[in-house]
Amino acid sequence: MRINLQQVSRAIILFVFVIFIVRLHYTGDILKLINPKYLMLSKTAAILFLVLFIAQIKRILESDKHDHADHEGHNHDHGNAPFTFRKFISYAIVILPLFTGFFFPMSTLDASIAANKGAMLSLSNNTSKVDDAIEEETTEPDTESIEESTNNEVQQDDNVADPNLYSNTISKEEHDKLIDELSEQNSIEMTDQLYTTYHQEINMNADDYVGKEIKVTGFVYKEESFSANQLVLGRFIITHCVADAGVIGFLTEMDIAEELDEDTWVEAVGTIYLQEYEGDLLPAIKVTEWNVVEEPAQPYLYPISIKIT
């Protein structure tokens, strides 16, 4: 019997993956990488890595004599073949996420990422929906289309079913009630839980919310085309994982906008109005009160899923 060092390396890699995932959950950094509805999947992955690690242990001690009687003509590697450059590349690819995860700080998506993702393009895309909504404000909403759209959204989620999938899910009735209550409010607070739902509604029916007071928190984002008193108070929204993160927020008018650096987090209270920006009509905020605040412990937003029963 002898110790197979390559099998030892594989066992160590599996166990470090377990530690890495547990560490992400313990520190809460896992929520900077994935939507909370996938937390159970990540825990399951940690358990699978642990099972594979246990299975790997018995392979560390191997016999000097290997019986090939059951698989004559084989050409596979039992882990004792010479360590080649090809193997080195394979190991490096597997180890790279562990190395970056342990030795590089977990950074938050910021204004530079928003610029790369085209933040204003994203906000302007919402504007076309606003234009359509304003033009059709005298028509009845197409309820069937809304339900079909929502159903399609659920059906297009081709990820493996997660027991925690509906942790951030509300029924269609609850969603409609939230929207009805929102339309009746004179003062709107964009809480983290309801931010995406409220933001979508305000963009779709912006004319209905003009003149209403709104309280919003976000990071400062600017573009060269902005005037001196303009900025965006933005938030990153994660639908599945950080790779699909996008920016939502409001074009904002503030007297001191020019003095605020990008990525500064601001809590602001203002009034909703419609602002034309490069040919599009955006729901915007004219700020009356504001405070610079610390970046939230959880800076990202996660959209609410609507479950049709």
Side-chain angles (χ1 to χ4, degrees):
M1 299 290 288
R2 63 187 178 90
I3 295 178
N4 186 318
L5 294 180
Q6 290 188 48
Q7 300 292 6
V8 172
S9 301
R10 294 174 186 179
I12 291 174
I13 291 172
L14 288 169
F15 190 65
V16 174
F17 264 112
V18 175
I19 296 174
F20 180 56
I21 297 175
V22 171
R23 178 173 175 262
L24 288 175
H25 279 271
Y26 179 76
T27 60
D29 285 343
I30 190 73
L31 294 178
K32 295 180 179 178
L33 300 175
I34 61 173
N35 188 304
K37 64 183 178 182
Y38 299 121
L39 288 179
M40 187 58 71
L41 275 180
S42 65
K43 292 177 181 176
T44 303
I47 293 172
L48 288 176
F49 277 123
L50 183 60
V51 171
L52 291 173
F53 163 72
I54 294 172
Q56 181 68 19
I57 290 178
K58 71 175 186 179
R59 304 183 67 182
I60 293 176
L61 295 176
E62 65 176 8
S63 171
D64 291 332
K65 294 183 179 180
H66 181 68
D67 185 6
H68 290 169
D70 295 334
H71 44 281
E72 185 177 356
H74 79 105
N75 58 358
H76 58 266
D77 178 14
H78 290 281
N80 52 7
F83 196 84
T84 62
F85 180 73
R86 184 177 178 181
K87 279 191 175 182
F88 172 78
I89 296 297
S90 300
Y91 276 82
I93 292 174
V94 174
I95 293 173
L96 182 61
L98 294 174
F99 180 80
T100 56
F102 278 108
F103 295 103
F104 287 84
M106 186 74 69
S107 60
T108 303
L109 300 178
D110 56 17
S112 63
I113 304 297
N116 291 334
K117 287 180 172 287
M120 285 311 299
L121 177 63
S122 175
L123 297 181
S124 298
N125 285 339
N126 288 329
T127 305
S128 60
K129 299 174 184 175
V130 175
D131 290 338
D132 293 341
I134 292 173
E135 290 174 0
E136 299 173 1
E137 63 183 355
T138 58
T139 63
E140 292 293 328
D142 188 346
T143 307
E144 292 184 358
S145 296
I146 294 174
E147 292 187 356
E148 183 179 358
S149 173
T150 310
N151 269 319
N152 287 339
E153 182 178 348
V154 173
Q155 292 167 359
Q156 287 170 4
D157 187 348
D158 55 359
N159 288 278
V160 178
D162 187 322
N164 200 39
L165 185 61
Y166 295 113
S167 62
N168 198 28
T169 300
I170 60 175
S171 66
K172 181 69 166 57
E173 290 73 20
E174 290 172 321
H175 174 267
D176 292 344
K177 184 181 178 182
L178 282 173
I179 298 304
D180 289 340
E181 292 174 349
L182 177 66
S183 64
E184 295 173 359
Q185 295 174 16
N186 292 321
S187 180
I188 300 167
E189 181 171 359
M190 302 291 285
T191 62
D192 287 358
Q193 183 182 14
L194 298 177
Y195 192 108
T196 56
T197 301
Y198 285 0
H199 183 270
Q200 182 183 34
E201 167 62 14
I202 293 172
N203 275 276
M204 292 294 291
N205 300 288
D207 210 31
D208 295 341
Y209 295 92
V210 169
K212 293 194 175 188
E213 183 181 82
I214 185 170
K215 181 178 181 181
V216 62
T217 300
F219 66 88
V220 173
Y221 169 74
K222 300 178 183 179
E223 290 199 351
E224 291 182 358
S225 57
F226 287 179
S227 60
N229 65 342
Q230 287 182 328
L231 52 79
V232 165
L233 289 181
R235 301 290 297 268
F236 276 97
I237 175 174
I238 294 179
T239 303
H240 298 295
C241 68
V242 70
D244 63 33
V247 182
I248 60 174
F250 294 95
L251 185 62
T252 304
E253 181 181 315
M254 299 178 65
D255 292 337
I256 61 140
E258 200 169 17
E259 302 172 21
L260 293 173
D261 295 328
E262 283 195 322
D263 295 323
T264 302
W265 280 80
V266 175
E267 180 184 84
V269 177
T271 304
I272 298 174
Y273 72 103
L274 297 180
Q275 171 69 50
E276 184 176 350
Y277 179 79
E278 296 188 349
D280 293 321
L281 200 60
L282 293 167
I285 302 174
K286 184 169 293 184
V287 171
T288 54
E289 302 173 31
W290 62 274
N291 289 301
V292 173
V293 295
E294 295 292 327
E295 177 183 308
Q298 180 43 262
Y300 303 141
L301 302 172
Y302 310 100
I304 288 177
S305 301
I306 303 172
K307 185 178 182 181
I308 306 296
T309 55

